[in-house]
Amino acid sequence: LVWDSRAMAVEVSGLVSKAPASAAASPRPQVDLPGGQSAHITVGTRASDIRPVEGKFLMQAAAQGAKTTKDGGEIHEVRIGEIKVPGRLAGLS
């Protein structure tokens, strides 16, 4: 979970396909995003005029080891243990 003074986002990892495993009782396949990308969810923004895409930029900055963002100041980060939730992977276009 990362946040600055403008936005908050949570990284999504360990994606597993909902499709049933092949014939044997093997585990469902892990979903890897292309180009080493990671998925995230923008939890929220401070104001309605701040676009949710800032959550993406914030997550990218934190992943690169940045300690501050251009507009939001200091980046804060909290590691959360594993939480399993059903969801749907989708992108914005």
Side-chain angles (χ1 to χ4, degrees):
L1 178 69
V2 297
W3 70 95
D4 65 5
S5 65
R6 296 175 55 87
M8 179 182 284
V10 63
E11 181 180 23
V12 179
S13 60
L15 301 173
V16 178
S17 171
K18 186 175 180 180
S22 58
S26 60
R28 293 180 288 187
Q30 178 87 16
V31 177
D32 294 319
L33 298 176
Q37 296 178 6
S38 66
H40 79 282
I41 297 169
T42 298
V43 176
T45 60
R46 183 184 70 207
S48 61
D49 64 334
I50 300 172
R51 299 194 59 214
V53 73
E54 285 203 28
K56 173 187 174 185
F57 301 145
L58 175 60
M59 188 61 67
Q60 288 173 335
Q64 294 172 355
K67 301 296 182 198
T68 60
T69 59
K70 185 178 106 181
D71 297 318
E74 186 177 359
I75 296 175
H76 305 276
E77 182 175 348
V78 173
R79 301 243 175 229
I80 300 172
E82 182 178 298
I83 300 172
K84 294 182 180 185
V85 295
R88 187 180 85 209
L89 182 62
L92 299 175
S93 57

